[in-house]
Amino acid sequence: MKRYAIVRDTGGMVDAVVSILDLETLLLNTPEGSHPVPCGDAAIVPGEWLWDGSGFVEREVPGPTLAERRAEVWGGVRAARDQAEWWGCSTPLGRADSDPDSQRKVAGAVQMAMIAQAAGAPFSIDWTMQDNRSVTHDAVAMITLGVAVGQHVAACHAVALAKRAAIEAAADAATLVDFDIEGGWPDAPIG
């Protein structure tokens, strides 16, 4: 039994590899526009190998296009941005949580503090910080915490926008292979 690669007449792509006893039967059953080439025991894989007229060569698979690489890198930046935004931020009274649910709670507490401040009413709230300590915040401290969280979120988005501009400015896909997705984010947690 002999092995043959069924090769396209145009381009030399290997479409199939068959083992057969009778070459005449193979020739009768070879699709139009193709021809059989003996390949012995070579590990020829259809779609991955070409016949160049004198031998089999592994087909070069093109890398991602610039648009595909940009989309891939930008997806990584967006994920890193979300992680950076949500890992917490420093405030005058300690590190505060900044995940979406915490941002919502901070906004509500800041609103209550501002309403109390506008009415001249006292305001005090025990706020659980990222390290699980309960810290009492008056109106000014709560508003300050809210500003710190807001500035942290804005800083994360500014870094993401700068990284996006660098991604868009890349001249080719190879430029983006070692793109720094993880570096440069603000207020990274310690340890």
Side-chain angles (χ1 to χ4, degrees), residues 130-163:
Q130 196 173 54
D131 64 1
N132 288 323
R133 288 181 306 118
S134 182
V135 177
T136 302
H137 286 64
D138 62 13
V140 172
M142 194 66 232
I143 292 167
T144 302
L145 186 146
V147 169
V149 170
Q151 288 174 336
H152 172 72
V153 170
C156 290
H157 284 264
V159 170
L161 287 174
K163 288 180 182 281

Side-chain angles (χ1 to χ4, degrees), residues 96-107:
D97 291 317
S98 61
D99 58 89
D101 193 42
S102 295
Q103 289 179 40
R104 181 185 54 76
K105 290 174 184 174
V106 166

Side-chain angles (χ1 to χ4, degrees), residues 6-20:
I6 307 302
V7 176
R8 291 183 204 166
D9 293 339
T10 307
M13 176 65 70
V14 174
D15 286 327
V17 176
V18 296
S19 296
I20 194 159

